[in-house]
Structure formats: C-alpha cells, structure tokens
C-alpha cells in the first residue's frame, strides 16, 4: 500500500484518513505561507482563529446542530468529562440516571457518585455486558438531572442505534468511539462528548457539545478550568487549546464532508459490519461473536476462536500478514476488529480473506 502502510484495526488512537495525513503533511513546514508550522503559531493568531471557527462550523454542519448547541474543544480526554459533567450538572441531593453498558459507563458512574446520587437504570453486569437494555428494562427516575449513556461500548462491542426515550430529560452521551459514524437526531441530547482519538483524529482533544438549556443549569461555583461556562464564554480559548489536534480534527471532518457527510460514511460502515458479521455468522463454530445480534457494534467487532492458543496464533499471523491491532482488550481477551470511519471496506475484505485462510489451515 501507499507509504508501506498496513491495515490498522487499533481501538484508539486509531486509523485516520490518509487524505487528512497528506493534507497536514503538505503544509507541515510552512503553513499557508506563514513561514512557520501551524503548531508554532499563536492560538490568538488570525490563521489559527480561522481553523478554530472552520472546525466548529463543520461539526455543526455534519451533525445538524442548531444555534442552541455550544461546541467546545477541551482537554483531559473523555475520562475528565466523566467527572466534569457531574460537577457541573448533578450536585448533592440530585439524581442522575446511568445506563451501565460496559467499562466506560462503569468509570463514568464511579466519578458521578462523588457529586450526587447515581441511579443505575440498567446494570449490564447482569448480562455480562453482552447485550443492551430494552426500553422496558430501564428504571428511570422522574426528575433526574440527566440520563447518561455510552453509545458505543468500545471494549465489549455493543452499540446503541436507537436511544432510550427519557420523557424530555436530557440524554448525556459518551460518543467517544462512534461519533459521526452514523446519523443521529441531536435533539434529545443535552450533552455529547468524545475523545477525538477514535473517530475524529488525534488524542489530546475532547469534543464537548452542550445544548443551551442544559448548559444554563451548570454550577457556576467551580474552579475555573472545570466549569463549562469558562469554555463557552471564551469559545474554548480561555487557555491554550490543543491547536494542532483541533486542526487535524478539522481535516478529518473535511474528509467526512467530502465523502458526502455522515450519511455516506454510515453506508460504508454498514457494509463493513454486514460483511464481517455475515462471515462470522456463516462460520460461527470457528468465529463466535459473544455479543447479542441486536446489540452488535459496527465499530468494534469482538469474536472468540475455539481456543486461546488459536487466538494468539491469529493475532501473530495477522500481524505478519499486515493486520495490526487485532487483539481484544486485555480485560476481555479474544479478537477485536476496530473499524472506525477511516477504515475502508477494502480493509474488511482483506481481513475476511485472511480469516478464511486461517480457518482452513486451523479448523
Ligand atoms: C476510549 C474511550 C474513553 C476514554 O477516552 P480518553 O480520551 O482516553 O479519556 C471513554 N469512553 C469511551 C466510550 C471510549 O471508547
């Protein structure tokens, strides 16, 4: 492949579009005639300001966000948002509902408990996180401040496509691993947050989207950097943002836009998932998917082989054949194929060919 690149199935940081890498590379030493690299420029310069505004514009355009949404670029990863959202929106004496569907939801719950009451509206431990809840299984609290959900469970391999009905209570969603992978109606979401390093670009920048009515309820009596109002009022420029990360994210967004937007990317993601899960279903004695069929993630496909020895061999031979990142998360084992937006259908066709040969030689 071009530049001797391999097939990259890393879970995060993960593959980015080659077009974005090339666009950044082209201006690497001298950004648009400025005589310096972008990362050498002030975050108060007019060049950087144009990038900042363009990146916000593309997010709003691609996701169909109205003027009632604030778009922020923060640091500290999605992991800091677990605490920050509860500091800002929960508060002692109040309750928030959390739908626990995996490792990341569990971490979000742990942080929120420091700032108020947490009602676990669904405890996925009871189903080993191998399926998502149905609406009638959710024990929602009347008057909850928000309902927290993890849209794609990166480690367990489940994904929501239909979001819970919350009777007007704002959904707060960790979309770190599937943001912009399929179209959504933003309206029920009071807050969306995502570390960029899975679907939006490099690590070190966290996208936070806040709906104005929820934002207005944020606690104003917090330390400066941890209250949303600081970042809303200063347009994410209170202190130095991750200028390079935001620029790179903008290039990834431009790539999505050039593909035809999120709906076009969704079509490819669906084709990838159909191909890989279809192959697994035809060969389920060898490639067993542990996740319930109606809860399967398009982003992170988990599977088990007949033995751990075969799984280790699969990962090793895969690496030799040019497939990187096939090992499952250390907490669950097995095989995981992470295939975010930037991973093309050709990569899935190639890995399925490899799986056929591996099964023939070891089945
Ligand atoms: C990767 C991931 C995180 C952690 O993100 P950081 O940016 O490393 O803090 C949180 N939630 C989900 C769903 C993830 O996939």
């Amino acid at each position: 492949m071009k530049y001797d690149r391999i097939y990259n199935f890393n879970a995060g940081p993960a593959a980015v579009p080659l077009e974005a890498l090339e666009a950044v590379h082209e201006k690497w030493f001298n950004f648009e005639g400025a005589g310096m690299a972008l990362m050498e420029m002030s975050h108060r310069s007019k060049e950087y300001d144009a990038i900042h505004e363009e990146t916000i514009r593309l997010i709003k355009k691609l996701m169909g966000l109205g003027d009632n949404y604030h778009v922020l670029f923060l640091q500290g990863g999605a992991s800091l948002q677990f605490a920050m959202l509860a500091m800002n929106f929960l508060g002692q004496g109040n309750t928030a509902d959390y739908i626990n569907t995996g490792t990341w939801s569990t971490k979000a719950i742990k942080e929120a408990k420091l700032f108020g009451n947490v009602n676990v509206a669904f405890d996925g431990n009871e189903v080993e996180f191998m399926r998502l809840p149905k609406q009638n299984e959710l024990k929602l609290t009347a008057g909850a401040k928000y309902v927290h959900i993890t849209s794609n469970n990166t480690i367990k391999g489940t994904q929501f496509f239909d979001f819970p009905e919350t009777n007007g209570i704002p959904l707060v969603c960790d979309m770190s691993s599937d943001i912009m992978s399929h179209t959504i109606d933003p309206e029920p979401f009071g807050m969306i947050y995502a570390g960029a390093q899975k679907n939006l670009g490099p690590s070190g920048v966290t996208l936070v989207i806040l709906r104005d009515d929820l934002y207005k309820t944020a606690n104003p009596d917090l330390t400066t950097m941890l209250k949303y109002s600081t970042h809303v009022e200063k347009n994410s420029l209170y202190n130095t943002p991750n200028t390079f990360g935001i620029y790179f994210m903008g290039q990834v967004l431009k790539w999505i836009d050039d593909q035809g937007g999120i709906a076009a990317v969704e079509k490819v993601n669906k084709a990838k998932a159909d191909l890989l899960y279809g192959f697994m279903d035809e060969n389920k004695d060898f490639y067993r998917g542990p996740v319930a069929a109606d809860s399967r993630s398009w982003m992170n496909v988990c599977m088990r082989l007949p033995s751990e020895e075969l799984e280790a061999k699969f990962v090793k031979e895969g690496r030799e054949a040019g497939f990187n990142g096939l090992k499952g998360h250390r907490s669950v084992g097995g095989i995981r194929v992470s295939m975010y937006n930037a991973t093309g259908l050709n990569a899935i066709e190639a890995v399925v060919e490899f799986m056929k040969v591996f099964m023939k030689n070891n089945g």
Side-chain angles (χ1 to χ4, degrees):
M1 268 190 280
K2 204 170 176 188
Y3 312 113
D4 284 336
R5 285 164 62 80
I6 57 173
Y7 292 110
N8 181 354
F9 300 108
N10 280 329
V16 294
L18 183 60
E19 289 85 343
L21 286 170
E22 286 180 327
V24 171
H25 178 248
E26 196 188 295
K27 299 177 182 179
W28 187 248
F29 298 101
N30 184 345
F31 186 80
E32 295 182 352
M36 54 185 144
L38 173 83
M39 72 170 85
E40 299 174 292
M41 275 181 206
S42 168
H43 58 298
R44 313 272 176 212
S45 64
K46 70 172 188 336
E47 290 91 343
Y48 177 71
D49 189 59
I51 290 164
H52 198 86
E53 290 307 322
E54 174 64 4
T55 307
I56 294 171
R57 187 190 72 81
L58 279 168
I59 289 163
K60 289 194 152 184
K61 176 188 168 190
L62 291 168
M63 294 185 73
L65 303 174
D67 290 338
N68 57 332
Y69 282 93
H70 306 279
V71 174
L72 305 178
F73 304 119
L74 304 184
Q75 298 181 53
S79 298
L80 180 59
Q81 293 310 305
F82 297 161
M84 197 167 160
L85 81 92
M87 288 172 88
N88 279 266
F89 297 127
L90 186 47
Q92 296 304 331
N94 297 319
T95 299
D97 288 335
Y98 276 71
I99 299 174
N100 189 0
T101 51
T103 313
W104 298 112
S105 316
T106 303
K107 291 189 177 189
I109 289 167
K110 175 172 177 252
E111 299 301 308
K113 280 182 172 165
L114 297 169
F115 303 101
N117 302 328
V118 169
N119 169 52
V120 178
F122 174 77
D123 183 3
N125 280 295
E126 288 163 14
V127 294
E128 290 169 358
F129 298 116
M130 287 299 109
R131 67 168 182 86
L132 298 173
K134 310 227 168 354
Q135 179 74 32
N136 63 11
E137 293 177 282
L138 298 177
K139 297 190 185 69
L140 299 174
T141 311
K145 283 282 180 175
Y146 57 83
V147 178
H148 184 276
I149 187 169
T150 311
S151 52
N152 181 69
N153 297 284
T154 324
I155 294 174
K156 311 290 181 189
T158 60
Q159 184 177 16
F160 283 94
F161 289 92
D162 296 315
F163 290 92
E165 173 55 54
T166 60
N167 292 317
I169 293 173
L171 273 173
V172 169
C173 187
D174 176 0
M175 282 194 194
S176 292
S177 55
D178 71 342
I179 191 161
M180 301 199 198
S181 67
H182 65 98
T183 56
I184 58 159
D185 170 13
E187 204 264 342
F189 295 93
M191 171 171 163
I192 292 169
Y193 64 99
Q197 67 271 20
K198 281 131 189 171
N199 246 333
L200 297 176
S203 59
V205 48
T206 311
L207 173 63
V208 174
I209 297 167
L210 285 175
R211 204 176 64 201
D212 193 56
D213 59 306
L214 178 66
Y215 163 65
K216 286 214 170 88
T217 70
N219 182 354
D221 299 318
L222 296 170
T223 185
T224 308
M225 282 297 286
L226 295 182
K227 58 183 172 188
Y228 289 118
S229 57
T230 299
H231 304 292
V232 168
E233 283 162 18
K234 299 290 185 196
N235 192 23
S236 306
L237 288 158
Y238 169 76
N239 73 325
T240 319
N242 179 349
T243 53
F244 179 74
I246 293 163
Y247 168 58
F248 200 107
M249 186 195 287
Q251 298 302 310
V252 173
L253 298 170
K254 183 175 176 302
W255 175 82
I256 296 175
D257 202 27
D258 290 345
Q259 305 302 299
I262 295 175
V265 167
E266 172 176 351
K267 272 201 189 124
V268 180
N269 287 334
K270 178 168 190 315
K272 283 150 55 183
D274 286 347
L275 176 61
L276 184 49
Y277 285 118
F279 177 75
M280 286 165 59
D281 286 343
E282 281 166 22
N283 301 284
K284 53 177 173 289
D285 292 338
F286 198 83
Y287 294 110
R288 185 177 63 84
V291 168
D294 64 358
S295 301
R296 285 170 165 176
S297 168
W298 290 2
M299 300 282 99
N300 310 95
V301 178
C302 295
M303 63 186 93
R304 299 308 305 246
L305 271 55
S307 71
E308 288 187 8
E309 290 69 40
L310 277 176
E311 288 169 350
K313 192 171 182 222
F314 182 91
V315 171
K316 179 171 173 285
E317 290 183 8
R319 202 182 301 118
E320 286 159 8
F323 301 100
N324 190 53
L326 293 173
K327 199 169 186 300
H329 189 270
R330 59 188 184 280
S331 66
V332 297
I335 304 297
R336 174 174 55 172
V337 181
S338 295
M339 41 191 214
Y340 303 114
N341 286 352
T343 300
L345 182 59
N346 65 324
I348 307 309
E349 286 166 351
V351 82
V352 165
E353 275 315 304
F354 169 74
M355 288 166 73
K356 277 182 193 158
V357 174
F358 187 85
M359 185 172 63
K360 196 157 147 267
N361 295 339
N362 298 280

mmCIF file of all heavy atoms in Angstrom, residues 255-276:
data_model
loop_
_atom_site.group_PDB
_atom_site.id
_atom_site.type_symbol
_atom_site.label_atom_id
_atom_site.label_comp_id
_atom_site.label_asym_id
_atom_site.label_seq_id
_atom_site.Cartn_x
_atom_site.Cartn_y
_atom_site.Cartn_z
ATOM 1 N N TRP A 255 -12.741 15.570 5.412
ATOM 2 C CA TRP A 255 -12.791 14.274 4.708
ATOM 3 C C TRP A 255 -14.200 13.678 4.777
ATOM 4 O O TRP A 255 -14.744 13.215 3.774
ATOM 5 C CB TRP A 255 -11.750 13.328 5.323
ATOM 6 C CG TRP A 255 -11.791 11.938 4.758
ATOM 7 C CD1 TRP A 255 -11.218 11.503 3.602
ATOM 8 C CD2 TRP A 255 -12.455 10.799 5.332
ATOM 9 N NE1 TRP A 255 -11.481 10.161 3.426
ATOM 10 C CE2 TRP A 255 -12.241 9.708 4.468
ATOM 11 C CE3 TRP A 255 -13.213 10.608 6.504
ATOM 12 C CZ2 TRP A 255 -12.748 8.433 4.728
ATOM 13 C CZ3 TRP A 255 -13.720 9.340 6.758
ATOM 14 C CH2 TRP A 255 -13.489 8.271 5.880
ATOM 15 N N ILE A 256 -14.825 13.732 5.963
ATOM 16 C CA ILE A 256 -16.196 13.215 6.090
ATOM 17 C C ILE A 256 -17.125 13.993 5.158
ATOM 18 O O ILE A 256 -17.943 13.423 4.433
ATOM 19 C CB ILE A 256 -16.704 13.308 7.558
ATOM 20 C CG1 ILE A 256 -15.865 12.408 8.479
ATOM 21 C CG2 ILE A 256 -18.186 12.920 7.647
ATOM 22 C CD1 ILE A 256 -16.235 12.535 9.961
ATOM 23 N N ASP A 257 -16.958 15.311 5.166
ATOM 24 C CA ASP A 257 -17.777 16.178 4.315
ATOM 25 C C ASP A 257 -17.575 15.814 2.838
ATOM 26 O O ASP A 257 -18.545 15.688 2.079
ATOM 27 C CB ASP A 257 -17.388 17.636 4.587
ATOM 28 C CG ASP A 257 -18.471 18.613 4.197
ATOM 29 O OD1 ASP A 257 -19.659 18.224 4.204
ATOM 30 O OD2 ASP A 257 -18.139 19.769 3.859
ATOM 31 N N ASP A 258 -16.326 15.602 2.452
ATOM 32 C CA ASP A 258 -16.021 15.249 1.060
ATOM 33 C C ASP A 258 -16.604 13.884 0.666
ATOM 34 O O ASP A 258 -16.889 13.643 -0.516
ATOM 35 C CB ASP A 258 -14.498 15.214 0.821
ATOM 36 C CG ASP A 258 -13.876 16.611 0.864
ATOM 37 O OD1 ASP A 258 -14.630 17.600 0.788
ATOM 38 O OD2 ASP A 258 -12.640 16.699 0.979
ATOM 39 N N GLN A 259 -16.741 12.982 1.627
ATOM 40 C CA GLN A 259 -17.345 11.671 1.329
ATOM 41 C C GLN A 259 -18.843 11.797 1.040
ATOM 42 O O GLN A 259 -19.454 10.859 0.545
ATOM 43 C CB GLN A 259 -17.204 10.694 2.514
ATOM 44 C CG GLN A 259 -15.795 10.465 3.038
ATOM 45 C CD GLN A 259 -14.864 9.953 1.981
ATOM 46 O OE1 GLN A 259 -15.069 8.889 1.419
ATOM 47 N NE2 GLN A 259 -13.850 10.736 1.672
ATOM 48 N N GLY A 260 -19.417 12.936 1.453
ATOM 49 C CA GLY A 260 -20.862 13.120 1.324
ATOM 50 C C GLY A 260 -21.543 13.230 2.676
ATOM 51 O O GLY A 260 -22.751 13.076 2.786
ATOM 52 N N GLY A 261 -20.749 13.454 3.727
ATOM 53 C CA GLY A 261 -21.312 13.642 5.065
ATOM 54 C C GLY A 261 -21.472 12.322 5.810
ATOM 55 O O GLY A 261 -21.057 11.261 5.340
ATOM 56 N N ILE A 262 -22.087 12.431 6.984
ATOM 57 C CA ILE A 262 -22.180 11.260 7.866
ATOM 58 C C ILE A 262 -23.029 10.163 7.229
ATOM 59 O O ILE A 262 -22.731 8.973 7.373
ATOM 60 C CB ILE A 262 -22.730 11.681 9.250
ATOM 61 C CG1 ILE A 262 -21.728 12.632 9.939
ATOM 62 C CG2 ILE A 262 -22.977 10.465 10.138
ATOM 63 C CD1 ILE A 262 -22.202 13.219 11.245
ATOM 64 N N ALA A 263 -24.064 10.531 6.496
ATOM 65 C CA ALA A 263 -24.929 9.502 5.878
ATOM 66 C C ALA A 263 -24.127 8.634 4.912
ATOM 67 O O ALA A 263 -24.342 7.418 4.830
ATOM 68 C CB ALA A 263 -26.102 10.163 5.167
ATOM 69 N N ALA A 264 -23.186 9.248 4.198
ATOM 70 C CA ALA A 264 -22.368 8.479 3.247
ATOM 71 C C ALA A 264 -21.395 7.564 3.984
ATOM 72 O O ALA A 264 -21.196 6.404 3.605
ATOM 73 C CB ALA A 264 -21.617 9.431 2.323
ATOM 74 N N VAL A 265 -20.810 8.088 5.048
ATOM 75 C CA VAL A 265 -19.886 7.282 5.859
ATOM 76 C C VAL A 265 -20.642 6.113 6.504
ATOM 77 O O VAL A 265 -20.134 4.998 6.611
ATOM 78 C CB VAL A 265 -19.235 8.206 6.919
ATOM 79 C CG1 VAL A 265 -18.516 7.415 7.976
ATOM 80 C CG2 VAL A 265 -18.278 9.189 6.250
ATOM 81 N N GLU A 266 -21.874 6.392 6.932
ATOM 82 C CA GLU A 266 -22.711 5.353 7.549
ATOM 83 C C GLU A 266 -22.922 4.167 6.601
ATOM 84 O O GLU A 266 -22.877 3.010 7.021
ATOM 85 C CB GLU A 266 -24.064 5.969 7.945
ATOM 86 C CG GLU A 266 -25.092 4.952 8.413
ATOM 87 C CD GLU A 266 -26.400 5.592 8.890
ATOM 88 O OE1 GLU A 266 -26.442 6.835 9.015
ATOM 89 O OE2 GLU A 266 -27.353 4.845 9.120
ATOM 90 N N LYS A 267 -23.148 4.468 5.326
ATOM 91 C CA LYS A 267 -23.359 3.396 4.343
ATOM 92 C C LYS A 267 -22.158 2.454 4.297
ATOM 93 O O LYS A 267 -22.311 1.235 4.271
ATOM 94 C CB LYS A 267 -23.557 4.002 2.944
ATOM 95 C CG LYS A 267 -24.974 4.353 2.633
ATOM 96 C CD LYS A 267 -25.198 4.442 1.120
ATOM 97 C CE LYS A 267 -26.578 5.019 0.862
ATOM 98 N NZ LYS A 267 -26.535 6.204 0.024
ATOM 99 N N VAL A 268 -20.977 3.044 4.288
ATOM 100 C CA VAL A 268 -19.754 2.226 4.250
ATOM 101 C C VAL A 268 -19.617 1.434 5.553
ATOM 102 O O VAL A 268 -19.290 0.243 5.536
ATOM 103 C CB VAL A 268 -18.511 3.112 4.006
ATOM 104 C CG1 VAL A 268 -17.249 2.265 3.980
ATOM 105 C CG2 VAL A 268 -18.656 3.900 2.715
ATOM 106 N N ASN A 269 -19.893 2.106 6.674
ATOM 107 C CA ASN A 269 -19.785 1.408 7.961
ATOM 108 C C ASN A 269 -20.746 0.226 8.025
ATOM 109 O O ASN A 269 -20.411 -0.835 8.543
ATOM 110 C CB ASN A 269 -20.039 2.380 9.121
ATOM 111 C CG ASN A 269 -18.871 3.330 9.338
ATOM 112 O OD1 ASN A 269 -17.734 3.012 8.999
ATOM 113 N ND2 ASN A 269 -19.145 4.501 9.891
ATOM 114 N N LYS A 270 -21.939 0.410 7.487
ATOM 115 C CA LYS A 270 -22.915 -0.691 7.486
ATOM 116 C C LYS A 270 -22.426 -1.836 6.599
ATOM 117 O O LYS A 270 -22.519 -3.017 6.977
ATOM 118 C CB LYS A 270 -24.284 -0.205 7.018
ATOM 119 C CG LYS A 270 -25.299 -1.339 6.976
ATOM 120 C CD LYS A 270 -26.722 -0.860 6.811
ATOM 121 C CE LYS A 270 -27.742 -1.981 7.024
ATOM 122 N NZ LYS A 270 -27.434 -3.242 6.360
ATOM 123 N N ALA A 271 -21.876 -1.493 5.446
ATOM 124 C CA ALA A 271 -21.370 -2.533 4.538
ATOM 125 C C ALA A 271 -20.233 -3.312 5.197
ATOM 126 O O ALA A 271 -20.148 -4.542 5.070
ATOM 127 C CB ALA A 271 -20.895 -1.888 3.231
ATOM 128 N N LYS A 272 -19.362 -2.609 5.919
ATOM 129 C CA LYS A 272 -18.259 -3.263 6.626
ATOM 130 C C LYS A 272 -18.801 -4.238 7.675
ATOM 131 O O LYS A 272 -18.358 -5.388 7.768
ATOM 132 C CB LYS A 272 -17.382 -2.204 7.314
ATOM 133 C CG LYS A 272 -16.448 -1.462 6.360
ATOM 134 C CD LYS A 272 -16.152 -0.025 6.804
ATOM 135 C CE LYS A 272 -15.609 0.123 8.200
ATOM 136 N NZ LYS A 272 -15.423 1.557 8.564
ATOM 137 N N ALA A 273 -19.770 -3.760 8.457
ATOM 138 C CA ALA A 273 -20.333 -4.600 9.524
ATOM 139 C C ALA A 273 -21.071 -5.797 8.927
ATOM 140 O O ALA A 273 -20.934 -6.925 9.407
ATOM 141 C CB ALA A 273 -21.271 -3.769 10.399
ATOM 142 N N ASP A 274 -21.851 -5.565 7.867
ATOM 143 C CA ASP A 274 -22.578 -6.679 7.238
ATOM 144 C C ASP A 274 -21.615 -7.744 6.746
ATOM 145 O O ASP A 274 -21.862 -8.945 6.906
ATOM 146 C CB ASP A 274 -23.429 -6.165 6.062
ATOM 147 C CG ASP A 274 -24.668 -5.414 6.540
ATOM 148 O OD1 ASP A 274 -24.998 -5.503 7.748
ATOM 149 O OD2 ASP A 274 -25.305 -4.735 5.701
ATOM 150 N N LEU A 275 -20.526 -7.298 6.145
ATOM 151 C CA LEU A 275 -19.552 -8.247 5.588
ATOM 152 C C LEU A 275 -18.908 -9.081 6.699
ATOM 153 O O LEU A 275 -18.890 -10.313 6.631
ATOM 154 C CB LEU A 275 -18.478 -7.472 4.803
ATOM 155 C CG LEU A 275 -17.330 -8.315 4.246
ATOM 156 C CD1 LEU A 275 -17.851 -9.358 3.265
ATOM 157 C CD2 LEU A 275 -16.294 -7.417 3.563
ATOM 158 N N LEU A 276 -18.426 -8.407 7.738
ATOM 159 C CA LEU A 276 -17.685 -9.133 8.773
ATOM 160 C C LEU A 276 -18.610 -9.998 9.637
ATOM 161 O O LEU A 276 -18.332 -11.184 9.852
ATOM 162 C CB LEU A 276 -16.881 -8.135 9.629
ATOM 163 C CG LEU A 276 -15.967 -8.723 10.695
ATOM 164 C CD1 LEU A 276 -15.086 -9.843 10.140
ATOM 165 C CD2 LEU A 276 -15.083 -7.626 11.286
#
